[in-house]
Structure formats: structure tokens, C-alpha cells
Amino acid sequence: MLINNDFTELAVVKNNEYQWHSSPQVGIERVYLDRIGEEVARATSLVRFAADSIQPRHTHDGGEEIFVLSGTFSEGDKDYPAGYYLRNPPGSEHQPSSRTGALIFVKLRQMHSDDKSIIRVNTQNHANWIETQGTQRCPLFSNHYEDVYLQRFPANNVWHCELERLTELLVLSGDISIEGEHYDEGSWIRFPADSSLKICIGQQGAKLFVKHYELA
């Protein structure tokens, strides 16, 4: 399966374009944002857990990156409510579940083999945010290959970006416009390297998940 697999081109999935696909586990569905492979794949997805759904314990050879969008996501006896960022390195294993239901943003098999970081960040904790040039940023992870953070903008702001690396945006709240195209909450956008952007923030402000990276 190949979905948005050309990383030299712009890729977009808006929230009104979601196509939900059943997974092998009952109660768990996915929206494929980009994907290379079948059930075992390099993939970026939205994953929806129904209440009391559970996956078998498994290992991710290329690591797994998760942002909890709503509900409460669990790994074993650890609960992570909306706003948590999780990073499980290559070779790690876990048993995902949700007692109450959850929606998560997931990136699978995209880490470099030397990445050993186990990260848990509660972005609802104000202490994790910093002020930067009139906006607010919550750093999530950074190394030689990638830089991941949340960025919160006031209403009617403009963000000028010179992107040296591949960059993904997920609109967590509010809305943005880029070159006249409007993106509401839930929209996912991937820009190729060496892009130059002018991002216009809507009247309600916006909060974005941002990831700059090199392909592993």
C-alpha cells in the first residue's frame, strides 16, 4: 500500500477527507495520512480507539511517536490523557488500549536506529511552554535528525517559515491559511524540504503540532 509516499511533493489530508479503515483489532480504526507497506508499514495515521479496546502486546522495530488528541490512551497500567506526547524508540514494546476511548496521532517506523529516547511530555502543563517571538512553544523532542514541538499562535498572526527539512503540521485547534488554502482543526499537511511558507493564523488563533525531519 502506498499513500502520500512521494516526499518531494506537498501532501494534505483535511478533516473532511478522513477515510476510516478497520484494523485487525475490534474497536480500533485508522485514517491513513501517509503509508508505505501493508499491515506492517512505515506510516503516519490517526487512530481511533473505542472504549475498552485493546491491542496485543507488540514491538515497533522503527519506533513509534504518539500525540493524544482526545480521550485517554493507555500503555499497560499507564494512562495518558489528551495532550500527552509519547516517544517509544526502535525495539520497544507496549500494549496499547483505552478504557474510555481515544483519538491519537501516530507515526510508526520512522526513527533512526540510534534513537534510544523514551519521552513523555504533558503539554497541558504550562511549565512545559516557553514564550518565543510573540507566540508560545512546547518543545517535545529534538536531535540531529528531527525537531518536534507544539506552537501556539494568537489570532491573526503570520508565521513566515523557511523549511530546510521535511515538515509536517497537524492543526490541533483553530485554523490557518496557506497560499489562500484554508485548513481547519484536524487538517494534516506535509511540506517537502526547501519550502518557503507564509502561514496566516485565523481569528480564533491556532495550535499546531510541528515536526521538521529527515527521512530515516
Side-chain angles (χ1 to χ4, degrees):
M1 183 184 300
L2 298 175
I3 297 173
N4 288 327
N5 62 303
D6 186 345
F7 293 87
T8 67
E9 294 186 351
L10 176 70
V12 174
V13 179
K14 294 187 177 183
N15 58 2
N16 61 355
E17 299 171 338
Y18 289 176
Q19 296 183 32
W20 291 98
H21 302 268
S22 298
S23 78
Q25 280 70 50
V26 174
I28 300 176
E29 300 175 295
R30 301 171 291 195
V31 173
Y32 302 142
L33 302 175
D34 67 33
R35 195 171 187 89
I36 301 173
E38 300 302 323
E39 188 55 37
V40 176
R42 181 211 184 277
T44 302
S45 310
L46 298 173
V47 180
R48 184 167 62 191
F49 288 74
D52 296 320
S53 55
I54 187 169
Q55 287 184 316
R57 191 168 188 85
H58 58 274
T59 301
H60 290 294
D61 294 336
E64 181 178 41
E65 187 176 19
I66 296 170
F67 187 79
V68 184
L69 297 169
S70 64
T72 299
F73 171 78
S74 300
E75 289 183 328
D77 60 355
K78 301 292 186 181
D79 294 334
Y80 300 100
Y84 256 92
Y85 173 79
L86 295 78
R87 191 176 181 91
N88 299 318
S92 60
E93 64 176 35
H94 67 163
Q95 185 172 34
S97 65
S98 180
R99 289 186 294 275
T100 61
L103 177 65
I104 63 175
F105 173 67
V106 185
K107 297 182 71 65
L108 291 174
R109 299 175 180 270
Q110 300 182 35
M111 296 179 187
H112 289 259
S113 59
D114 59 351
D115 188 343
K116 306 301 182 185
S117 301
I118 299 174
I119 304 292
R120 302 290 186 268
V121 179
N122 179 8
T123 68
Q124 303 287 11
N125 184 345
H126 296 298
N128 290 325
W129 290 79
I130 58 175
E131 296 285 338
T132 172
Q133 298 180 340
T135 68
Q136 296 175 312
R137 178 174 293 191
C138 180
L140 300 176
F141 179 77
S142 184
N143 66 8
H144 179 72
Y145 307 111
E146 57 185 291
D147 190 18
V148 190
Y149 53 91
L150 302 189
Q151 192 84 15
R152 187 158 51 204
F153 296 90
N156 303 315
N157 200 274
V158 177
W159 189 24
H160 294 276
C161 306
E162 298 295 331
L163 305 177
E164 297 180 358
R165 295 182 286 181
L166 280 162
T167 295
E168 290 184 29
L169 303 181
L170 179 65
V171 182
L172 301 178
S173 64
D175 63 284
I176 62 175
S177 296
I178 304 171
E179 296 183 351
E181 191 71 25
H182 187 249
Y183 301 97
D184 287 318
E185 179 179 333
S187 295
W188 172 83
I189 318 159
R190 190 188 68 214
F191 302 95
D194 300 318
S195 296
S196 180
L197 303 177
K198 177 183 176 182
I199 300 176
C200 298
I201 309 301
Q203 295 183 357
Q204 303 302 315
K207 182 166 65 175
L208 308 178
F209 176 96
V210 184
K211 181 181 176 77
H212 310 288
Y213 63 102
E214 299 173 10
L215 291 174

